[in-house]
Amino acid sequence: MRLLIIGRLNGELITASRIAMSRGAAVTQADGIEQGLNALRAKGADLVMVDVSLPVRVLVTALADERIRTPVVACGTGTDANAAVAAIRAGAKEYIPLPPDPELIAAVLEAVASDARSFVWGDPSMERVVKLAEQVARSDASVLITGESGTGKEVLARHVHARSNRANKPFVSVNCAAIPDALLESELFGHEKGAFTGAVARRIGRFEEASGGTLLLDEISEMDVRLQAKLLRALQERVIDRVGGTQPVKVDIRVLATSNRNLAEEARKGTFREDLLYRLNVVNLRLPPLRDRPADILALAEHFARKYAEANGLAARPLSAEARRLVTQSPWPGNVRELENTLHRAVLLASGPEIDADAIRSPEGDALSTGATGAGAAARAVQAAEAVTRGFVGRSLADVERDLILDTLDHCLGNRTHAAKILGISIRTLRNKLNEYTGAGITVAEPGQTRMLAAYG
């Protein structure tokens, strides 16, 4: 855990720094916002703690402008309520009152270190995957983690890092699907001052930030094939070139990558370099979908029920027998991510001593489907299909496509990667469609929302 404290180290801040170091954090200090930004550009950090007397909004805005995604918490004297509120409104994630409480600081550090992700499993189908992951964890071999969207690929990657010889070094994750192609090279390799418009200072990239530790390239299949060549050189030679730079920079990293696509098939189509696939795929860990891990479903459901009860200040409640039956029989097309969202919703909707089946509902409020089979279910499916087909008559193909894309995005609560997977299109194609709809004045669901929430929330 790398903690950057921005503010003069006197009195309470010295105590906070000592507490953080006693909990295993590597602490760096900067007196002001600009010095703090320079430290982040040069070394990176996992968490920023900023004195509330400094301009927190300036810091948060600068981080957003430079695409530095380090979370910020503010700290100040416990009696300064107005400053605390202003800091949260400015974009700070939390407020820590001073003098510092050791357990509170420990909880914040732990939340960031674990990134709120727990590795929960128990199904025999996961046994081979976990054993292989732990067997190769202490090596420096590249690992490719594959599986459907929402199966927990990043969670497994963090587990590999935690069991590796680099566990006490940085774990840096880059979502290749979430960053535009024009910016991804700078995000990965860094840039020199003036390399392009907006490059106000030299900034190290994720490769340098992860040096000594582990770099996760999440959804690597979405990376432009031209950038893949530069990535291949970095993996082979362990050197990178900053954008606008003239000297190569050595890096010491272990690379993990994830994909919800078949990269061998992508290589055959020419959208993914075959030589890069060989470099990444030294070991392949394939996560089975949740529907093939029945013993994991209940373990995860109970874990999420406890997690979100605690997060919302509610008493922990067990799942009723009917709720347990319902969650184990659901097909979970969205895998662990869908199960987590459903249990979060159930914790909030439940009213009795148990989480009953009535609280297990879809985002639209409908009863959860169990994927029932049999003659009755088949007849209902045929009727539903006929009704859908009749609804297409008289409509243009573009209108049908638009509604399908927007409804799928609603179903995924705005998750672009998940929606693209369900639709069978690339994340770029989906983004282009959404930009087209937004330009036409059509409401599009933002991440974590449906169109209704985006329009009225």
Side-chain angles (χ1 to χ4, degrees):
M1 161 61 72
R2 299 164 299 160
L3 172 65
L4 171 64
I5 295 179
I6 302 180
R8 294 191 179 277
L9 280 182
N10 47 29
E12 290 89 348
L13 272 182
I14 290 179
T15 304
S17 176
R18 288 174 177 165
I19 292 170
M21 287 189 288
S22 72
R23 303 287 177 153
V27 178
T28 305
Q29 185 267 339
D31 286 345
I33 299 298
E34 191 54 42
Q35 296 95 320
L37 287 169
N38 287 335
L40 285 169
R41 293 167 185 145
K43 297 179 181 179
D46 299 308
L47 177 68
V48 173
M49 183 183 295
V50 59
D51 189 332
V52 76
S53 65
L54 296 174
V56 177
R57 188 178 298 278
V58 171
L59 172 64
V60 172
T61 301
L63 294 181
D65 289 344
E66 297 189 38
R67 306 183 312 283
I68 300 175
R69 295 173 175 82
T70 305
V72 174
V73 297
C75 55
T77 58
T79 57
D80 197 354
N82 291 334
V85 172
I88 296 296
R89 287 177 175 170
K93 302 297 184 184
E94 299 286 349
Y95 177 80
I96 298 177
L98 300 176
D101 178 272
E103 295 307 316
L104 178 57
I105 288 182
V108 171
L109 293 176
E110 176 62 26
V112 174
S114 65
D115 200 24
R117 295 172 173 89
S118 299
F119 189 47
V120 177
W121 65 278
D123 194 271
S125 66
M126 284 289 288
E127 185 79 22
R128 183 190 65 81
V129 179
V130 176
K131 281 187 175 181
L132 180 57
E134 294 178 350
Q135 182 179 341
V136 303
R138 293 191 175 277
S139 74
D140 274 344
S142 299
V143 177
L144 178 62
I145 304 173
T146 57
E148 293 180 7
S149 181
T151 48
K153 297 186 289 295
E154 183 174 349
V155 178
L156 182 59
R158 290 177 181 275
H159 183 69
V160 170
H161 172 72
R163 296 299 184 96
S164 74
N165 296 325
R166 299 170 178 261
N168 294 324
K169 299 297 183 178
F171 177 92
V172 177
S173 176
V174 182
N175 188 335
C176 301
I179 303 172
D181 293 337
L183 301 178
L184 185 55
E185 182 178 1
S186 168
E187 187 76 17
L188 290 173
F189 304 120
H191 59 254
E192 297 291 346
K193 181 178 180 179
F196 52 84
T197 303
V200 296
R202 168 189 281 184
R203 180 186 161 192
I204 66 167
R206 297 307 183 97
F207 268 82
E208 288 181 81
E209 190 177 339
S211 194
T214 302
L215 176 67
L216 172 63
L217 300 173
D218 196 20
E219 301 299 353
I220 194 171
S221 54
E222 304 304 325
M223 181 182 293
D224 185 86
V225 70
R226 290 168 295 182
L227 185 54
Q228 292 173 23
K230 190 168 185 178
L231 174 61
L232 178 63
R233 174 177 178 266
L235 297 181
Q236 288 176 332
E237 302 179 20
R238 290 299 192 263
V239 296
I240 57 103
D241 296 306
R242 297 194 192 106
V243 178
T246 57
Q247 296 294 326
V249 179
K250 290 185 178 181
V251 290
D252 169 27
I253 57 170
R254 198 261 185 95
V255 174
L256 310 178
T258 74
S259 177
N260 58 18
R261 295 179 181 272
N262 184 328
L263 290 187
E265 179 62 30
E266 297 299 316
R268 283 191 290 271
K269 293 191 297 186
T271 59
F272 198 84
R273 291 181 63 109
E274 191 172 27
D275 47 4
L276 178 57
L277 173 58
Y278 293 146
R279 175 62 60 176
L280 291 170
N281 197 20
V282 176
V283 179
N284 180 221
L285 301 175
R286 185 181 182 282
L287 278 171
L290 188 58
R291 59 184 173 275
D292 293 339
R293 297 152 50 185
D296 281 358
I297 295 176
L298 275 181
L300 285 164
E302 291 167 351
H303 164 72
F304 292 137
R306 290 191 299 270
K307 171 184 173 179
Y308 288 110
E310 180 180 351
N312 289 282
L314 301 171
R317 285 174 286 191
L319 274 72
S320 70
E322 181 63 18
R324 290 163 66 90
R325 182 196 66 78
L326 189 59
V327 297
T328 52
Q329 291 184 0
S330 172
W332 298 116
N335 293 295
V336 180
R337 185 181 295 117
E338 183 184 2
L339 175 64
E340 179 173 8
N341 289 341
T342 300
L343 264 296
H344 189 177
R345 192 161 45 248
V347 166
L348 301 177
L349 295 178
S351 56
E354 295 180 316
I355 298 176
D356 210 347
D358 287 343
I360 311 293
R361 296 193 165 272
S362 72
E364 295 78 21
D366 300 327
L368 196 68
S369 169
T370 60
T373 59
R380 288 192 296 272
V382 170
Q383 292 172 359
E386 289 176 347
V388 170
T389 303
R390 287 194 298 271
F392 290 154
V393 176
R395 303 185 65 204
S396 70
L397 182 60
D399 286 346
V400 173
E401 179 188 65
R402 181 196 63 220
D403 288 352
L404 176 61
I405 289 174
L406 295 177
D407 288 346
T408 302
L409 192 63
D410 277 351
H411 171 74
C412 299
L413 290 179
N415 186 307
R416 270 66 172 161
T417 302
H418 189 187
K421 173 64 177 176
I422 292 174
L423 291 164
I425 59 178
S426 72
I427 191 72
R428 291 187 186 87
T429 299
L430 178 60
R431 284 204 190 101
N432 289 338
K433 292 289 184 183
L434 297 181
N435 288 337
E436 177 186 324
Y437 303 153
T438 303
I442 299 170
T443 301
V444 172
E446 295 297 324
Q449 295 184 331
T450 63
R451 276 173 289 169
M452 183 175 294
L453 286 174
Y456 301 107

